[in-house]
Amino acid sequence: MVNFMMDKYIVTTFFVSLLGFLLLYILRPRLRTTYYKKKDPKTSQKCDTHNVISSNLINGECKLEKGSDADIIIVGAGVAGAALAHTLGKEGRRVLVIERDLTEPDRIVGELLQPGGYLKLIELGLEDCVEDIDAQRVVGYALFKDGKSTNVSYPLENFHSDVAGRSFHNGRFIQKMREKAATLPNVRLEQGTVTSLIEENGSVKGVQFKTKAGQELKAHAPLTVVCDGCFSNLRRSLCNPKVDIPSCFVGLVLELENDQLPYPNHGHVILADPSPILFYPISSTEIRCLVDVPGQKLPSLANGDMANYLKTMVAPQVPPELHDAFITAIDKGHIRTMPNRSMPAALYPTPGALLLGDSFNMRHPLTGGGMTVALSDIAVLRNLLKPLNDLNDADELCKYLESFYTLRKPVASTINTLAGALYKVFCASPDQARKEMREACFDYLSLGGTCSTGPVALLSGLNPSPLSLVLHFFAVAIYGAGRLLVPFPSPKRLWIGARLISAASSIIFPIIKAEGVRQMFFPTTIPAYHRAPPVNKGSD
C-alpha cells in the first residue's frame, strides 16, 4: 500500500513538473529578464534601475529577481531612503527602492552632518560614504554679532579622533550611499515616480508608480516606508501635516582662497539683521553661504532685486574676510533659494506604512540637525524590525511600530526644539526683551566651560537630552535677566527682565507642546515604549 502511494505521488509529480516545464518554455519570452538598456520597446520592457540587479515584469508589476515581491518598499533614495535601504538590506531584508531621479542631486541644504549624525553613520556602517567626496571636518561653530566674535568647539575629547562633523556637497554624499546600497544583492533601486499607495481594507499593501518611460507599474510589500523628502506628495495619505514656513534660505557658493574662513573647520553663524547668515565649507575650495530671509516672499531674482538686497542689506554684515568673495558670488549670478519648513512629527499609525525623514518631521535647518535625526530614526527602526521574521500581519506590525514614535524622541525632540528656539532667539527684533535675550545668548556661549560645551553638545547630537536643553535655555534667560539687575535694579530693568523670561517661555513652550511633553520628557510612561515584538504566527 505504501509503495503504491509513493508510486502514485512520483507519477503525479512527474506530470506536474512536465507541465510546468512546458508552460515555462512557452511563456519564457514574456518573462525575459532585462537590464540597463531596452532592446525593443515592443518585445521587452525594462524596470529602470540604478544597479545590476535584474527585474521581472509580471502582470504590470515590478518584482525582485528572487521570489515575488520585496519585504520592504522605500519611496525615495535621498539621505534617509538610501541609508535605510542599505541598513535593512544588511539585515537580510529584500528591499525595493523607488526614486524619482537617480542622477546626482544638487541642493543647497543637507550639507552639514553634525558629529552625532556621524556617530550614527558609524553605527549603521556607512561612515565610508563621507570619504572620497572632498568632505571637510567641522569641529565647532563661530558666532559673530555687532563686530564681536567667539567660537565654541564640539566636546569630542571622549571620542575617537575621527569623530567630528562633516560638510560636503549633498549630492555626492547621497550618491555614495546609493552606490553602497546597490552593492547588496537583495536591494534594488528603481527610477520612477510613486503616484499613490495601494490600500486594501485600511492597510497599505504597496505602491503604484510610473517609470521613466511612462509605464504605470505596481509593487507590493508588507511594509512601505515613505522617505520622499520635504516636498512629499504621499505625506497627506499618512498624516495630517502642519507645515510652517518661517523663512527661506538664499544660497551662494563662495570660492575659497588661502584659508579664507575666519575660523577654519568651523561653521560660521552671523547674528545679522533681520536673521542669521551661515557660512561653512563644502569642499576644499568652496564655502556655502546661506542667507536667511524671514517670511515666504523673496526679492525677485529675475529683475535684480535679490542681488541688490544681498549687496546692500547683507554684504555690510558679512565678516571682512568673506566680503569680497561674497560680492563675487553674487555677481556670478548662481543664486538659489529654498523655503525652510518646520513640521512636528504627528503620531498617525497606518498599517503597512511608515513615514521617515523630511516627509515625516522637519525643523528649521539653522542647526543642521536634519540628517542626524533621520539617521537616528533609521537606527531605531532597524533595531525594532530586527526580531521580526514575518512582516505580513499589518495590524500587529502597526501596533508594534507605534513604539518607534516614542523611542525616537530623545534625539529628535532635542534637535527639533533647539533648532526652532535658536532660530527665534537669533533673529533680530524691535522688542527690547528679545534684543536682550539675543545678546544674552551670544554672551552665554562666550563664557566657555559648561555654558558653551553644554549647548553645543545638544546642537551636535552628542547629548540628546531634552531636560538639559530646557535647563540651558532658561539659564540663558536668567543670565540675561540677571545682568539687567546689575548694578541697580531699576523698575524699567526689572520690567524688561520679567519680559525676557516671559519671551523665553513663549519661544520654547509652544515647541515643546508640539513635540509632545509626555513623549519628550517621560517616554517610559507610554505603553508603546515597552511593547514586545508581535509573535510570529506559525513559527516554532
Side-chain angles (χ1 to χ4, degrees):
M1 181 66 177
V2 173
N3 290 337
F4 173 78
M5 291 291 290
M6 290 180 65
D7 290 340
K8 179 180 178 181
Y9 287 128
I10 290 172
V11 172
T12 303
T13 301
F14 172 79
F15 282 107
V16 170
S17 300
L18 181 61
L19 179 62
F21 178 82
L22 291 173
L23 286 172
L24 181 62
Y25 183 83
I26 294 169
L27 296 175
R28 184 174 59 178
R30 298 182 184 179
L31 301 179
R32 184 172 296 138
T33 301
T34 57
Y35 295 89
Y36 278 99
K37 294 184 180 180
K38 207 186 315 182
K39 295 180 179 179
D40 186 345
K42 294 181 181 179
T43 58
S44 65
Q45 179 63 51
K46 167 183 174 281
C47 284
D48 292 325
T49 181
H50 181 64
N51 61 358
V52 295
I53 303 172
S54 62
S55 65
N56 290 332
L57 281 176
I58 303 177
N59 297 326
E61 297 184 6
C62 193
K63 305 192 175 200
L64 290 179
E65 185 177 23
K66 292 184 179 180
S68 56
D69 291 330
D71 298 316
I72 297 171
I73 295 171
I74 298 174
V75 181
V79 170
L84 181 64
H86 179 265
T87 300
L88 296 183
K90 277 203 314 179
E91 295 291 311
R93 307 288 185 182
R94 294 175 302 162
V95 181
L96 172 62
V97 186
I98 304 173
E99 163 59 36
R100 181 183 59 83
D101 186 357
L102 286 168
T103 60
E104 184 174 306
D106 183 15
R107 304 179 64 203
I108 65 171
V109 292
E111 298 172 314
L112 178 61
L113 181 67
Q114 297 287 2
Y118 183 74
L119 286 174
K120 291 299 176 183
L121 273 189
I122 295 173
E123 182 180 340
L124 299 173
L126 290 164
E127 67 273 20
D128 57 341
C129 291
V130 296
E131 298 174 1
D132 302 320
I133 59 172
D134 201 14
Q136 303 297 298
R137 285 174 58 88
V138 178
V139 297
Y141 274 88
L143 299 176
F144 297 78
K145 183 180 182 296
D146 300 332
K148 301 180 293 182
S149 68
T150 186
N151 72 302
V152 290
S153 299
Y154 296 132
L156 301 172
E157 299 81 8
N158 298 325
F159 296 95
H160 186 274
S161 59
D162 188 50
V163 176
R166 294 291 193 280
S167 53
F168 39 67
H169 281 269
N170 172 269
R172 296 176 187 174
F173 179 53
I174 287 175
Q175 287 300 90
K176 288 282 283 189
M177 288 201 292
R178 289 174 177 174
E179 290 166 7
K180 185 156 187 175
T183 62
L184 299 174
N186 50 327
V187 174
R188 171 178 174 71
L189 274 70
E190 289 282 355
Q191 183 160 298
T193 301
V194 174
T195 54
S196 63
L197 301 174
I198 299 172
E199 295 189 43
E200 296 176 12
N201 301 320
S203 295
V204 174
K205 300 297 184 181
V207 299
Q208 183 163 327
F209 66 102
K210 183 180 291 186
T211 67
K212 187 177 180 181
Q215 185 182 15
E216 291 281 355
L217 299 176
K218 293 179 181 179
H220 295 87
L223 179 61
T224 298
V225 183
V226 176
C227 312
D228 55 347
C230 61
F231 300 105
S232 173
N233 65 336
L234 300 176
R235 181 188 292 135
R236 292 188 179 278
S237 302
L238 300 173
C239 74
N240 183 22
K242 297 178 181 178
V243 181
D244 181 37
I245 304 179
S247 66
C248 296
F249 268 156
V250 178
L252 299 163
V253 174
L254 281 59
E255 297 297 326
L256 182 63
E257 296 178 5
N258 303 322
D259 293 328
Q260 209 165 337
L261 282 169
Y263 294 88
N265 300 110
H266 281 67
H268 293 60
V269 183
I270 292 85
L271 305 189
D273 186 357
S275 54
I277 307 167
L278 306 180
F279 292 93
Y280 51 87
I282 55 173
S283 75
S284 56
T285 60
E286 297 164 303
I287 301 170
R288 168 64 70 196
C289 171
L290 294 173
V291 179
D292 185 85
V293 180
Q296 300 180 36
K297 188 175 181 180
L298 292 171
S300 172
L301 283 167
N303 64 13
D305 286 350
M306 177 63 78
N308 183 60
Y309 172 82
L310 294 173
K311 286 183 177 180
T312 58
M313 297 293 294
V314 178
Q317 303 180 77
V318 170
E321 299 93 328
L322 298 169
H323 182 272
D324 290 346
F326 182 75
I327 296 296
T328 301
I330 298 170
D331 290 337
K332 286 183 178 179
H334 300 302
I335 303 171
R336 302 177 59 190
T337 63
M338 176 78 177
N340 294 324
R341 290 172 166 80
S342 176
M343 186 183 79
L347 179 62
Y348 196 87
T350 304
L354 195 72
L355 282 166
L356 200 72
D358 283 350
S359 60
F360 170 54
N361 183 206
M362 293 180 282
R363 77 292 308 149
H364 195 284
L366 172 69
T367 58
M371 289 188 289
T372 300
V373 172
L375 294 170
S376 176
D377 284 354
I378 290 168
V380 171
L381 183 59
R382 176 200 60 182
N383 294 337
L384 276 174
L385 294 177
K386 192 184 290 284
L388 304 182
N389 295 322
D390 183 13
L391 304 178
N392 283 290
D393 192 329
D395 291 330
E396 282 296 313
L397 179 64
C398 181
K399 290 177 183 177
Y400 176 58
L401 289 182
E402 282 182 18
S403 56
F404 167 77
Y405 300 100
T406 303
L407 294 171
R408 68 182 295 274
K409 276 296 177 179
V411 174
S413 62
T414 300
I415 292 174
N416 293 346
T417 304
L418 184 61
L422 271 186
Y423 177 69
K424 291 184 178 180
V425 170
F426 282 177
C427 285
S429 172
D431 181 75
Q432 186 61 37
R434 293 286 291 272
K435 286 181 180 179
E436 291 292 341
M437 183 72 179
R438 192 185 194 210
E439 185 73 33
C441 187
F442 179 87
D443 291 344
Y444 183 86
L445 293 170
S446 302
L447 291 174
T450 303
C451 297
S452 62
T453 58
V456 81
L458 293 164
L459 180 148
S460 63
L462 295 172
N463 177 32
S465 168
L467 181 59
S468 178
L469 166 61
V470 172
L471 291 175
H472 275 289
F473 190 79
F474 278 103
V476 171
I478 293 168
Y479 171 72
R483 295 193 312 176
L484 291 168
L485 307 183
V486 178
F488 301 106
S490 67
K492 181 180 179 181
R493 286 172 169 263
L494 280 169
W495 174 241
I496 294 174
R499 287 180 52 231
L500 192 157
I501 300 294
S502 175
S505 301
S506 67
I507 287 172
I508 198 165
F509 286 146
I511 302 173
I512 291 174
K513 182 181 178 181
E515 288 292 319
V517 176
R518 188 179 174 192
Q519 292 89 341
M520 189 168 173
F521 294 99
F522 310 103
T524 58
T525 66
I526 298 175
Y529 186 90
H530 306 282
R531 185 165 286 153
V535 177
N536 291 322
K537 297 177 181 179
S539 61
D540 293 331

